[in-house]
Amino acid sequence: MRTLVVLPTYNEIFNIELMLRTLNEIVPDCHVLVVDDGSPDGTAKRAHAVGSELGGVDVLERRAKSGLGDAYRAGFAWGLERGFDHFVEMDCDFSHDPKALPSLFVAAEDHDLVVGSRYIKGGEIPNWRLSRRLLSRGGNEYASLVLGLKVADSTSGFRVYSATALEKINYKTVRADGYGFQIEMTYRARNIGVSIIEVPITFKDRLRGESKMSKAIVVEALGLVTTWGLERVVAKYRERRRARKSSPQRSA
Ligand SMILES: Nc1nc2c(ncn2[C@@H]2O[C@H](COP(=O)(O)OP(=O)(O)OP(=O)(O)O)[C@@H](O)[C@H]2O)c(=O)[nH]1
Ligand SMILES: [Mg+2]
């Protein structure tokens, strides 16, 4: 596998160096692309410095904070242009443990989308407060119910995609940016028959620095899932009506 780890960063000065060194140690064969959105704290500069010492690191510097989804779209495009065949999505705050990558890669040998899952047997979130737990769990349950998704952790941002899956998903046209981005990618993957597998992960609280989670991100996800759910209902209704019209009429 020629694998690119796409690492979106915004103000991760306290994590970036340790993350790049840890990745270099655990998955030395992977190339890393830091996608930084003009972090005022100098994350990109530090990434350049550590990256040129370690090798195998590129930094895509963008001007302004444009959201996680947009950072991934840019990172995927960068990697596909350069012929990478697998893409890792992970946060730079150590919520996603780089040590779990080898187990995700094993699953990626037979599946086009591997989701690091907190909500299957063996998955854990040891130190989240109750409100955060409920929000995440509730969001996942809602997405499963409304979209008929059989993925327990569709908001997870710790994943491996094959290049084929990304191209089939047509990731460039994915609209959402926050958690909605992960759900939309999963929903599309399911709809076009990409093979999906969940692998248990332990999700820890961010090691250092500030969270960029916001109400807007939650509202975006909720709004989009509800819209897709309604579209699904309308599509099913139309399909049933078409089937009824085309089936032969019963005589009185
Ligand atoms: N390039 C880029 N990266 C971002 C942006 N927003 C967040 N990130 C990065 O995306 C990853 C996830 O963001 P977090 O702030 O940890 O959000 P979260 O994991 O949903 O929330 P917490 O669990 O509270 O940390 C981190 O590596 C961030 O630095 C953005 O607008 N642009
Ligand atoms: Mg985080």
Side-chain angles (χ1 to χ4, degrees):
M1 292 199 320
R2 240 193 114 216
T3 304
L4 181 68
V5 178
V6 182
L7 207 55
T9 56
Y10 189 77
N11 283 347
E12 297 292 359
I13 192 74
F14 299 118
N15 294 313
I16 187 68
E17 177 163 358
L18 185 61
M19 178 53 82
L20 292 176
R21 290 190 188 283
T22 310
L23 286 170
N24 185 253
E25 202 179 294
I26 293 170
V27 285
D29 295 339
C30 292
H31 196 87
V32 181
L33 178 70
V34 177
V35 184
D36 187 73
D37 278 1
S39 297
D41 69 357
T43 301
K45 200 169 162 217
R46 182 69 61 82
H48 274 297
V50 180
S52 54
E53 180 201 319
L54 299 173
V57 177
D58 272 282
V59 185
L60 186 60
E61 286 193 60
R62 294 151 27 106
R63 272 201 212 118
K65 186 168 177 353
S66 315
L68 191 70
D70 204 57
Y72 276 126
R73 284 187 286 271
F76 295 154
W78 189 97
L80 287 168
E81 274 164 27
R82 287 160 181 81
F84 286 93
D85 53 49
H86 282 84
F87 293 77
V88 173
E89 279 188 9
M90 66 186 287
D91 293 354
C92 187
D93 56 3
F94 288 89
S95 283
H96 300 143
D97 187 348
K99 290 194 197 86
L101 282 171
S103 70
L104 300 192
F105 291 158
V106 170
E109 285 169 16
D110 307 315
H111 295 84
D112 283 319
L113 168 53
V114 181
V115 178
S117 179
R118 299 161 286 189
Y119 302 126
I120 57 169
K121 198 164 176 276
E124 278 182 290
I125 313 172
N127 46 11
W128 253 7
R129 58 186 193 281
L130 185 67
S131 57
R132 193 68 200 270
R133 234 173 245 269
L134 289 177
L135 180 68
S136 169
R137 196 72 212 229
N140 269 295
E141 294 290 338
Y142 183 64
S144 296
L145 186 78
V146 171
L147 305 176
L149 276 179
K150 295 212 167 50
V151 176
D153 197 354
S154 60
T155 62
S156 169
F158 197 13
R159 298 174 173 221
V160 183
Y161 286 97
S162 70
T164 322
L166 287 180
E167 271 155 4
K168 275 201 213 157
I169 287 170
N170 199 5
Y171 71 94
K172 279 190 183 162
T173 61
V174 167
R175 290 182 294 182
D177 275 319
Y179 295 122
F181 176 76
Q182 307 299 1
I183 303 172
E184 191 170 2
M185 292 287 285
T186 314
Y187 185 45
R188 284 194 186 196
R190 196 283 309 269
N191 287 349
I192 55 168
V194 165
S195 69
I196 306 173
I197 190 169
E198 289 184 88
V199 169
I201 56 157
T202 299
F203 182 99
K204 297 196 194 113
D205 244 337
R206 68 162 42 244
L207 189 64
R208 298 174 212 143
E210 266 174 43
S211 169
K212 280 105 224 167
M213 236 283 277
S214 65
K215 253 191 211 147
I217 286 175
V218 178
V219 170
E220 182 202 45
L222 201 65
L224 285 171
V225 169
T226 307
T227 310
W228 300 324
L230 290 173
E231 283 169 3
R232 237 179 125 229
V233 171
V234 171
K236 269 194 188 156
Y237 170 76
R238 288 206 176 121
E239 208 175 286
R240 242 181 267 144
R241 232 174 49 161
R242 227 177 294 129
R244 230 182 290 137
K245 270 189 192 157
S246 61
S247 68
Q249 297 283 315
R250 278 201 214 139
S251 52

